[in-house]
Amino acid sequence: MKKYILPVVLLALLSGCGKVKDVSEVSSQIEIVSGTAAATTSETSSTEAETTTGDDDKKTTTTKKAGDKISGTTTSVKSTGRVVTRASGGSVVHGTTRVVPTAPRTTSKTTTSSTSTQQPTTQPATYDPKDYSSITFELKDDKLEVVRPYSDGKSRSPQTLTVDTSEIKEKLEESPSKTINDFIESVDYDFDGYPDLFVAEKSDDLNKTGKYFRYDPEKGAYVSWSELNSLKFETKIQESTNRLKVLENINGVDWNQKFYEWNSQNQLVLREYIHQYTVDGDIIVETITYDENGFQLSRTVEHDNGEPYEEGTTTPIEEE
């Protein structure tokens, strides 16, 4: 029996080697991508993995030796052509699989540009200084207030006039039908297109005295008027000559009347003075005229009927 053992072993070896091809024919490198190779001896078998390359139709067989079972391992074969691989673990990958390197995760910081929202600036309420049409007047706490509407629709008092309101307040209390407007004259005394003011502080049956204010269209305010305040009494306009007429009654028969006008330098000058008085029951009228510079031009003295009056009996002219 012993003499047959050696030939049988040799025959078996020769028949087994016929199924194994030289692994040196594989031109590619086998890489283990992931997993752990576990060695077992539970089963002795050999399997073949067939790799087909599309470029040169070469076929390479990789043999796993018995006992070298790889669990959970995917092998990729690098070759010169398209590679079809099989993955273990029961899942099949169709098509071409590539080893794609994992790119490092980058966190992009989004910078939010916060634009500060600027709150709209509230413009203060104003009024048109040249618009005098809606101006009214009110008496508050013995003060004369100028009231006018503003751009926000509300009425305000931008100015208080310096006047003596004691008599005005007294007469308003005595006569509820009267208003503050009964004591204010709105007249364009300088003919600039803007009405000015005369506020009557004192009045009786003969005269009115008070304060004058010129309207300033640049400021939109009333300005104390020294030129007209020097006249003292209420002023009227003589429409035929555009002169300012000031009448001072003395006793109802005797009176002084003066006529003023604005010259080319916007100065207020006296152009005519009329003095009426009585002598022995006769009414005498004295009239003096002046040029625009204030120099006397003429002087006449006559009875109220126009007849000349004898010189030397005329009452001296009273001028302020």
Side-chain angles (χ1 to χ4, degrees):
M1 290 294 294
K2 292 181 179 180
K3 66 180 178 179
Y4 297 107
I5 292 174
L6 183 59
V8 172
V9 172
L10 293 175
L11 181 62
L13 290 174
L14 291 175
S15 61
C17 292
K19 294 182 181 181
V20 178
K21 294 184 179 182
D22 188 1
V23 296
S24 63
E25 297 179 7
V26 181
S27 62
S28 61
Q29 181 181 358
I30 299 176
E31 295 178 353
I32 297 177
V33 177
S34 63
T36 303
T40 60
T41 56
S42 59
E43 184 176 348
T44 303
S45 63
S46 63
T47 59
E48 296 178 355
E50 183 179 277
T51 303
T52 306
T53 59
D55 294 336
D56 49 7
D57 294 333
K58 292 181 181 182
K59 182 168 66 176
T60 303
T61 302
T62 302
T63 302
K64 294 180 182 179
K65 294 183 180 181
D68 296 335
K69 184 176 181 181
I70 299 175
S71 174
T73 302
T74 302
T75 40
S76 60
V77 180
K78 294 182 181 179
S79 64
T80 59
R82 183 172 57 88
V83 179
V84 179
T85 62
R86 293 190 181 101
S88 63
S91 60
V92 179
V93 179
H94 300 277
T96 302
T97 60
R98 298 177 181 175
V99 179
V100 180
T102 303
R105 179 176 296 179
T106 59
T107 303
S108 61
K109 295 182 180 180
T110 304
T111 304
T112 303
S113 176
S114 58
T115 304
S116 59
T117 304
Q118 185 176 0
Q119 296 296 329
T121 304
T122 303
Q123 297 294 331
T126 59
Y127 60 85
D128 182 2
K130 293 181 171 57
D131 183 12
Y132 57 86
S133 60
S134 301
I135 293 178
T136 58
F137 304 92
E138 293 182 6
L139 188 63
K140 295 181 178 179
D141 300 328
D142 300 331
K143 296 180 180 179
L144 184 59
E145 303 284 347
V146 179
V147 180
R148 63 193 309 161
Y150 278 64
S151 56
D152 59 358
K154 298 179 181 180
S155 294
R156 295 178 177 83
S157 175
Q159 184 180 12
T160 300
L161 300 180
T162 304
V163 295
D164 182 2
T165 61
S166 57
E167 185 175 298
I168 297 175
K169 185 178 180 181
E170 180 182 344
K171 290 188 174 183
L172 287 175
E173 292 174 351
E174 292 175 354
S175 303
S177 60
K178 288 183 176 294
T179 66
I180 189 63
N181 295 326
D182 294 322
F183 304 90
I184 297 176
E185 294 287 341
S186 182
V187 180
D188 185 8
Y189 294 110
D190 57 357
F191 311 106
D192 65 347
Y194 296 93
D196 311 299
L197 293 183
F198 170 73
V199 182
E201 296 177 313
K202 305 291 181 181
S203 63
D204 52 36
D205 295 334
L206 297 176
N207 300 294
K208 285 183 181 180
T209 60
K211 291 291 192 307
Y212 286 92
F213 298 89
R214 182 182 64 85
Y215 187 77
D216 186 341
E218 299 302 322
K219 298 178 180 179
Y222 292 98
V223 181
S224 182
W225 208 344
S226 60
E227 289 177 301
L228 267 64
N229 283 328
S230 66
L231 305 181
K232 187 178 178 180
F233 300 99
E234 182 183 18
T235 300
K236 300 293 184 180
I237 293 180
Q238 187 182 40
E239 295 182 359
S240 60
T241 61
N242 278 345
R243 290 180 176 180
L244 305 185
K245 180 176 62 176
V246 180
L247 177 64
E248 177 190 7
N249 274 305
I250 298 173
N251 54 24
V253 178
D254 297 347
W255 47 262
N256 296 310
Q257 190 166 5
K258 298 176 182 179
F259 295 86
Y260 296 86
E261 86 180 14
W262 302 95
N263 64 12
S264 57
Q265 288 78 37
N266 291 324
Q267 296 172 331
L268 189 65
V269 296
L270 178 63
R271 297 302 304 269
E272 187 176 2
Y273 172 76
I274 302 174
H275 179 211
Q276 178 174 298
Y277 55 95
T278 59
V279 176
D280 298 330
D282 293 332
I283 298 176
I284 307 301
V285 178
E286 181 180 13
T287 304
I288 303 174
T289 61
Y290 303 86
D291 65 12
E292 65 176 9
N293 296 314
F295 295 104
Q296 182 175 317
L297 295 175
S298 66
R299 178 177 182 269
T300 62
V301 181
E302 56 190 14
H303 291 275
D304 59 345
N305 59 6
E307 293 180 2
Y309 186 74
E310 294 181 5
E311 284 290 335
T313 60
T314 303
T315 305
I317 298 174
E318 297 179 3
E319 293 190 36
E320 294 184 3

